[in-house]
Amino acid sequence: MAAAEAAVVSPSSLKTDTAATPETAGTAAATAATSPAMGAVAAVTAAARTGSEARVSKAALATKLLSLSGVFAVHKPKGPTSAELLNRLKEKLLAEAGMPSPEWTKRKKQTLKIGHGGTLDSAARGVLVIGIGRGTKMLTSMLSGSKRYVAIGELGKATDTLDSTGKVTEEKPYDKITQEDIEGILQKFTGNIMQVPPLYSALKKDGQRLSTLMKRGEVVEAKPARPVTVYSLSLQKFQPPFFTLELSSCANVLELTRTRQGPFTLEEHALPEDRWTIGDIAQSLEHCSSLLPAELALKKSKPEESNGQVLSCECVTLNETKGEDDIIKTF
């Protein structure tokens, strides 16, 4: 009969019990031992209390997530595009906060706003600057900052995409190229130079990326050369066929890593994916706020057409002017 009584416990009795003093697991077990019916009530009450606390916790996380504002950096690996990585980040944050749910989606003013500035190719890795909340308005200003890359190239093979993901279009010998040859040509790639963006780039024509049009086999005209400032360029290793600059041979870029964008460095500021949590991002925003000039949030730089960069150097710092083609905002 006790079992039957436990099965027909009324909701009103459960409500009364939930207001009682919380029980420990040991107390609940003791209650169950003396009275199976009361033990069932205690178990259901504890479960209800746990569910209620979980809902409160998710609501608090959602509120905290929507209050985040500023700029931080993540570590983009090779493989996904910058846009795909941004979506992955957004999904992880929404899942942690229990969003979207009906009560949140109905309130359009409380929608997560997040974007990235400074596109990295899918084959590239490194620092990707992220803006969240009002920080999305700061991304255009971030694009005009200096950047540093490490690139590893391979002599003897040229590809249609200029990197290792493309089809080999030409092969030439490289055995006569020496380290002195490479170091002697570095000066031609430093200072204020004019650079012709590659056809396989993030630049757009009629709203579509040139790289997408090229992969479809469509005819694409090269963009005009534009000014780029290369502050420094150094050769760190020379182990043929691996190199850093093209000479009297042909080559392609094997690896490209952005180690710095503006004040953000790969080692110190870029969050790996296992730290894409609301708490870690909140801490990173607080830390990174001290890196930015106070007026940056209010600065509105004039959007200009983006500059695609294909680099064949070991360590280079660039001063680029990019535009909104490189900014992706998610609302």
Side-chain angles (χ1 to χ4, degrees):
M1 191 62 191
E5 292 174 358
V8 294
V9 174
S10 67
S12 59
S13 64
L14 291 181
K15 289 182 179 179
T16 303
D17 289 337
T18 49
T21 304
E23 294 180 332
T24 63
T27 304
T31 303
T34 57
S35 172
M38 290 303 296
V41 172
V44 174
T45 301
R49 184 181 300 115
T50 301
S52 176
E53 291 173 351
R55 287 192 295 272
V56 171
S57 178
K58 288 292 185 182
L61 282 173
T63 299
K64 184 174 182 179
L65 173 60
L66 294 176
S67 70
L68 297 180
S69 184
V71 179
F72 63 104
V74 298
H75 184 171
K76 177 195 172 301
K78 293 176 63 175
T81 65
S82 297
E84 290 170 345
L85 195 76
L86 182 70
N87 286 332
R88 186 189 304 177
L89 170 63
K90 182 184 69 171
E91 289 172 1
K92 288 176 73 72
L93 295 176
L94 291 176
E96 181 185 358
M99 299 168 60
S101 58
E103 59 266 28
W104 288 105
T105 54
K106 290 179 181 179
R107 302 170 66 179
K108 296 182 179 180
K109 292 184 179 180
Q110 293 187 316
T111 303
L112 180 64
K113 188 174 183 181
I114 190 169
H116 76 74
T119 301
L120 277 173
D121 291 338
S122 58
R125 58 183 291 268
V127 177
L128 183 65
V129 174
I130 303 293
I132 189 168
R134 294 188 302 275
T136 55
K137 298 179 179 180
M138 302 164 62
L139 293 176
T140 302
S141 298
M142 290 300 304
L143 294 174
S144 60
S146 62
K147 301 173 181 66
R148 183 176 293 123
Y149 298 83
V150 173
I152 300 175
E154 180 184 20
L155 283 168
K157 294 180 181 179
T159 67
D160 55 359
T161 60
L162 305 182
D163 62 23
S164 59
T165 65
K167 297 179 180 179
V168 176
T169 58
E170 188 177 16
E171 294 189 48
K172 288 184 178 182
Y174 57 85
D175 55 310
K176 294 183 178 180
I177 297 177
T178 66
Q179 181 171 338
E180 289 72 22
D181 292 331
I182 296 179
E183 291 176 340
I185 204 171
L186 291 180
Q187 294 182 355
K188 294 183 179 180
F189 292 90
T190 57
N192 297 318
I193 63 175
M194 298 297 292
Q195 183 190 69
V196 177
L199 295 179
Y200 281 88
S201 69
L203 297 181
K204 293 184 178 180
K205 175 185 178 183
D206 299 328
Q208 297 190 60
R209 294 179 183 271
L210 296 185
S211 57
T212 301
L213 298 176
M214 289 290 294
K215 291 176 182 178
R216 292 178 184 170
E218 299 184 24
V219 178
V220 177
E221 296 182 0
K223 294 286 185 177
R226 61 197 62 199
V228 174
T229 301
V230 180
Y231 293 115
S232 63
L233 187 60
S234 62
L235 175 65
Q236 296 183 351
K237 291 182 180 179
F238 180 63
Q239 297 175 329
F242 304 116
F243 83 115
T244 56
L245 291 175
E246 295 179 23
L247 295 173
S248 55
S249 181
C250 56
N252 68 89
V253 177
L254 289 179
E255 295 184 14
L256 181 64
T257 303
R258 182 157 65 197
T259 60
R260 187 182 189 98
Q261 180 174 358
F264 301 100
T265 65
L266 181 60
E267 297 79 8
E268 185 177 356
H269 306 109
L271 295 177
E273 188 164 357
D274 60 359
R275 293 187 58 197
W276 292 359
T277 67
I278 296 173
D280 282 327
I281 290 175
Q283 291 180 4
S284 183
L285 287 169
E286 184 177 356
H287 173 61
C288 293
S289 63
S290 63
L291 304 176
L292 305 174
E295 68 275 9
L296 182 57
L298 302 177
K299 181 179 178 181
K300 296 182 179 180
S301 59
K302 182 180 179 180
E304 296 182 21
E305 193 174 19
S306 66
N307 241 350
Q309 298 293 339
V310 171
L311 308 176
S312 52
C313 57
E314 188 68 20
C315 183
V316 59
T317 302
L318 300 179
N319 184 15
E320 306 171 290
T321 301
K322 296 198 175 187
E324 293 188 345
D325 284 351
D326 277 330
I327 301 177
I328 297 180
K329 295 180 180 178
T330 303
F331 300 91

mmCIF file of all heavy atoms in Angstrom, residues 233-254:
data_model
loop_
_atom_site.group_PDB
_atom_site.id
_atom_site.type_symbol
_atom_site.label_atom_id
_atom_site.label_comp_id
_atom_site.label_asym_id
_atom_site.label_seq_id
_atom_site.Cartn_x
_atom_site.Cartn_y
_atom_site.Cartn_z
ATOM 1 N N LEU A 233 60.981 42.130 -42.762
ATOM 2 C CA LEU A 233 60.927 40.843 -43.435
ATOM 3 C C LEU A 233 62.230 40.115 -43.142
ATOM 4 O O LEU A 233 63.307 40.669 -43.351
ATOM 5 C CB LEU A 233 60.757 41.060 -44.944
ATOM 6 C CG LEU A 233 60.506 39.853 -45.828
ATOM 7 C CD1 LEU A 233 59.234 39.142 -45.423
ATOM 8 C CD2 LEU A 233 60.414 40.311 -47.280
ATOM 9 N N SER A 234 62.130 38.909 -42.620
ATOM 10 C CA SER A 234 63.358 38.200 -42.262
ATOM 11 C C SER A 234 63.276 36.734 -42.656
ATOM 12 O O SER A 234 62.199 36.130 -42.625
ATOM 13 C CB SER A 234 63.620 38.317 -40.749
ATOM 14 O OG SER A 234 62.567 37.704 -40.020
ATOM 15 N N LEU A 235 64.408 36.187 -43.022
ATOM 16 C CA LEU A 235 64.524 34.775 -43.341
ATOM 17 C C LEU A 235 64.998 34.045 -42.096
ATOM 18 O O LEU A 235 66.072 34.319 -41.578
ATOM 19 C CB LEU A 235 65.533 34.581 -44.481
ATOM 20 C CG LEU A 235 65.854 33.140 -44.853
ATOM 21 C CD1 LEU A 235 64.619 32.439 -45.403
ATOM 22 C CD2 LEU A 235 66.997 33.094 -45.851
ATOM 23 N N GLN A 236 64.185 33.119 -41.621
ATOM 24 C CA GLN A 236 64.539 32.410 -40.397
ATOM 25 C C GLN A 236 65.130 31.035 -40.664
ATOM 26 O O GLN A 236 66.013 30.585 -39.948
ATOM 27 C CB GLN A 236 63.304 32.278 -39.487
ATOM 28 C CG GLN A 236 62.780 33.627 -39.019
ATOM 29 C CD GLN A 236 61.611 33.476 -38.060
ATOM 30 O OE1 GLN A 236 61.083 32.382 -37.873
ATOM 31 N NE2 GLN A 236 61.208 34.577 -37.453
ATOM 32 N N LYS A 237 64.627 30.364 -41.695
ATOM 33 C CA LYS A 237 65.146 29.042 -42.039
ATOM 34 C C LYS A 237 65.206 28.876 -43.548
ATOM 35 O O LYS A 237 64.388 29.424 -44.271
ATOM 36 C CB LYS A 237 64.261 27.937 -41.453
ATOM 37 C CG LYS A 237 64.295 27.820 -39.945
ATOM 38 C CD LYS A 237 63.414 26.667 -39.473
ATOM 39 C CE LYS A 237 63.437 26.551 -37.961
ATOM 40 N NZ LYS A 237 62.557 25.443 -37.483
ATOM 41 N N PHE A 238 66.201 28.118 -44.003
ATOM 42 C CA PHE A 238 66.291 27.770 -45.416
ATOM 43 C C PHE A 238 66.720 26.316 -45.516
ATOM 44 O O PHE A 238 67.881 25.978 -45.312
ATOM 45 C CB PHE A 238 67.274 28.684 -46.151
ATOM 46 C CG PHE A 238 67.392 28.359 -47.617
ATOM 47 C CD1 PHE A 238 66.294 28.495 -48.448
ATOM 48 C CD2 PHE A 238 68.590 27.901 -48.150
ATOM 49 C CE1 PHE A 238 66.385 28.189 -49.799
ATOM 50 C CE2 PHE A 238 68.690 27.603 -49.506
ATOM 51 C CZ PHE A 238 67.579 27.747 -50.325
ATOM 52 N N GLN A 239 65.752 25.458 -45.787
ATOM 53 C CA GLN A 239 66.001 24.030 -45.924
ATOM 54 C C GLN A 239 65.343 23.558 -47.207
ATOM 55 O O GLN A 239 64.187 23.131 -47.203
ATOM 56 C CB GLN A 239 65.438 23.268 -44.716
ATOM 57 C CG GLN A 239 66.097 23.640 -43.392
ATOM 58 C CD GLN A 239 65.432 22.962 -42.203
ATOM 59 O OE1 GLN A 239 64.231 22.702 -42.208
ATOM 60 N NE2 GLN A 239 66.223 22.655 -41.197
ATOM 61 N N PRO A 240 66.049 23.688 -48.338
ATOM 62 C CA PRO A 240 65.467 23.339 -49.637
ATOM 63 C C PRO A 240 64.792 21.958 -49.588
ATOM 64 O O PRO A 240 65.336 21.032 -48.974
ATOM 65 C CB PRO A 240 66.675 23.333 -50.566
ATOM 66 C CG PRO A 240 67.656 24.227 -49.897
ATOM 67 C CD PRO A 240 67.451 24.016 -48.427
ATOM 68 N N PRO A 241 63.585 21.841 -50.164
ATOM 69 C CA PRO A 241 62.910 22.813 -51.035
ATOM 70 C C PRO A 241 62.076 23.856 -50.292
ATOM 71 O O PRO A 241 61.349 24.609 -50.942
ATOM 72 C CB PRO A 241 61.990 21.921 -51.871
ATOM 73 C CG PRO A 241 61.600 20.832 -50.920
ATOM 74 C CD PRO A 241 62.840 20.562 -50.111
ATOM 75 N N PHE A 242 62.145 23.905 -48.957
ATOM 76 C CA PHE A 242 61.345 24.879 -48.223
ATOM 77 C C PHE A 242 62.028 26.238 -48.222
ATOM 78 O O PHE A 242 63.238 26.334 -48.039
ATOM 79 C CB PHE A 242 61.100 24.379 -46.806
ATOM 80 C CG PHE A 242 60.448 23.032 -46.780
ATOM 81 C CD1 PHE A 242 61.105 21.935 -46.246
ATOM 82 C CD2 PHE A 242 59.187 22.853 -47.319
ATOM 83 C CE1 PHE A 242 60.510 20.688 -46.242
ATOM 84 C CE2 PHE A 242 58.582 21.607 -47.322
ATOM 85 C CZ PHE A 242 59.244 20.523 -46.783
ATOM 86 N N PHE A 243 61.244 27.283 -48.381
ATOM 87 C CA PHE A 243 61.776 28.626 -48.561
ATOM 88 C C PHE A 243 60.800 29.660 -48.045
ATOM 89 O O PHE A 243 59.727 29.333 -47.561
ATOM 90 C CB PHE A 243 62.065 28.872 -50.046
ATOM 91 C CG PHE A 243 60.842 29.286 -50.808
ATOM 92 C CD1 PHE A 243 60.752 30.551 -51.377
ATOM 93 C CD2 PHE A 243 59.761 28.433 -50.918
ATOM 94 C CE1 PHE A 243 59.605 30.920 -52.052
ATOM 95 C CE2 PHE A 243 58.626 28.807 -51.591
ATOM 96 C CZ PHE A 243 58.541 30.048 -52.169
ATOM 97 N N THR A 244 61.166 30.931 -48.193
ATOM 98 C CA THR A 244 60.289 32.005 -47.743
ATOM 99 C C THR A 244 59.956 33.026 -48.822
ATOM 100 O O THR A 244 58.994 33.748 -48.664
ATOM 101 C CB THR A 244 60.923 32.745 -46.555
ATOM 102 O OG1 THR A 244 62.206 33.212 -46.920
ATOM 103 C CG2 THR A 244 61.014 31.843 -45.342
ATOM 104 N N LEU A 245 60.708 33.106 -49.867
ATOM 105 C CA LEU A 245 60.424 34.059 -50.942
ATOM 106 C C LEU A 245 60.632 33.399 -52.302
ATOM 107 O O LEU A 245 61.517 32.567 -52.462
ATOM 108 C CB LEU A 245 61.334 35.287 -50.841
ATOM 109 C CG LEU A 245 61.082 36.221 -49.657
ATOM 110 C CD1 LEU A 245 62.134 37.314 -49.625
ATOM 111 C CD2 LEU A 245 59.700 36.836 -49.724
ATOM 112 N N GLU A 246 59.812 33.785 -53.290
ATOM 113 C CA GLU A 246 59.964 33.228 -54.635
ATOM 114 C C GLU A 246 61.139 33.866 -55.351
ATOM 115 O O GLU A 246 61.304 35.086 -55.311
ATOM 116 C CB GLU A 246 58.688 33.449 -55.442
ATOM 117 C CG GLU A 246 57.498 32.688 -54.871
ATOM 118 C CD GLU A 246 56.263 32.948 -55.658
ATOM 119 O OE1 GLU A 246 56.384 33.329 -56.842
ATOM 120 O OE2 GLU A 246 55.175 32.771 -55.110
ATOM 121 N N LEU A 247 61.933 33.025 -56.032
ATOM 122 C CA LEU A 247 63.065 33.531 -56.825
ATOM 123 C C LEU A 247 62.922 33.030 -58.248
ATOM 124 O O LEU A 247 61.828 33.001 -58.786
ATOM 125 C CB LEU A 247 64.384 33.074 -56.185
ATOM 126 C CG LEU A 247 64.664 33.648 -54.785
ATOM 127 C CD1 LEU A 247 65.893 33.007 -54.196
ATOM 128 C CD2 LEU A 247 64.834 35.149 -54.859
ATOM 129 N N SER A 248 64.041 32.639 -58.872
ATOM 130 C CA SER A 248 64.004 32.185 -60.264
ATOM 131 C C SER A 248 63.564 30.731 -60.326
ATOM 132 O O SER A 248 64.271 29.867 -60.848
ATOM 133 C CB SER A 248 65.388 32.352 -60.891
ATOM 134 O OG SER A 248 66.356 31.672 -60.111
ATOM 135 N N SER A 249 62.422 30.464 -59.759
ATOM 136 C CA SER A 249 61.850 29.134 -59.750
ATOM 137 C C SER A 249 60.352 29.312 -59.633
ATOM 138 O O SER A 249 59.827 30.344 -60.037
ATOM 139 C CB SER A 249 62.420 28.315 -58.572
ATOM 140 O OG SER A 249 61.879 27.013 -58.562
ATOM 141 N N CYS A 250 59.666 28.346 -59.114
ATOM 142 C CA CYS A 250 58.246 28.498 -58.834
ATOM 143 C C CYS A 250 57.991 27.920 -57.452
ATOM 144 O O CYS A 250 58.839 27.221 -56.899
ATOM 145 C CB CYS A 250 57.387 27.802 -59.891
ATOM 146 S SG CYS A 250 57.762 26.048 -60.089
ATOM 147 N N ALA A 251 56.855 28.248 -56.881
ATOM 148 C CA ALA A 251 56.642 27.849 -55.494
ATOM 149 C C ALA A 251 55.181 27.951 -55.113
ATOM 150 O O ALA A 251 54.351 28.475 -55.856
ATOM 151 C CB ALA A 251 57.483 28.734 -54.574
ATOM 152 N N ASN A 252 54.864 27.440 -53.914
ATOM 153 C CA ASN A 252 53.543 27.599 -53.332
ATOM 154 C C ASN A 252 53.688 27.673 -51.821
ATOM 155 O O ASN A 252 54.699 27.257 -51.263
ATOM 156 C CB ASN A 252 52.614 26.453 -53.735
ATOM 157 C CG ASN A 252 53.030 25.127 -53.113
ATOM 158 O OD1 ASN A 252 52.605 24.791 -52.016
ATOM 159 N ND2 ASN A 252 53.879 24.374 -53.809
ATOM 160 N N VAL A 253 52.680 28.240 -51.167
ATOM 161 C CA VAL A 253 52.705 28.402 -49.715
ATOM 162 C C VAL A 253 52.146 27.140 -49.061
ATOM 163 O O VAL A 253 51.009 26.758 -49.308
ATOM 164 C CB VAL A 253 51.881 29.624 -49.280
ATOM 165 C CG1 VAL A 253 51.861 29.745 -47.760
ATOM 166 C CG2 VAL A 253 52.461 30.887 -49.901
ATOM 167 N N LEU A 254 52.953 26.507 -48.230
ATOM 168 C CA LEU A 254 52.517 25.301 -47.524
ATOM 169 C C LEU A 254 51.724 25.634 -46.276
ATOM 170 O O LEU A 254 50.692 25.038 -45.999
ATOM 171 C CB LEU A 254 53.732 24.450 -47.130
ATOM 172 C CG LEU A 254 54.471 23.726 -48.257
ATOM 173 C CD1 LEU A 254 55.646 22.969 -47.681
ATOM 174 C CD2 LEU A 254 53.531 22.778 -48.983
#
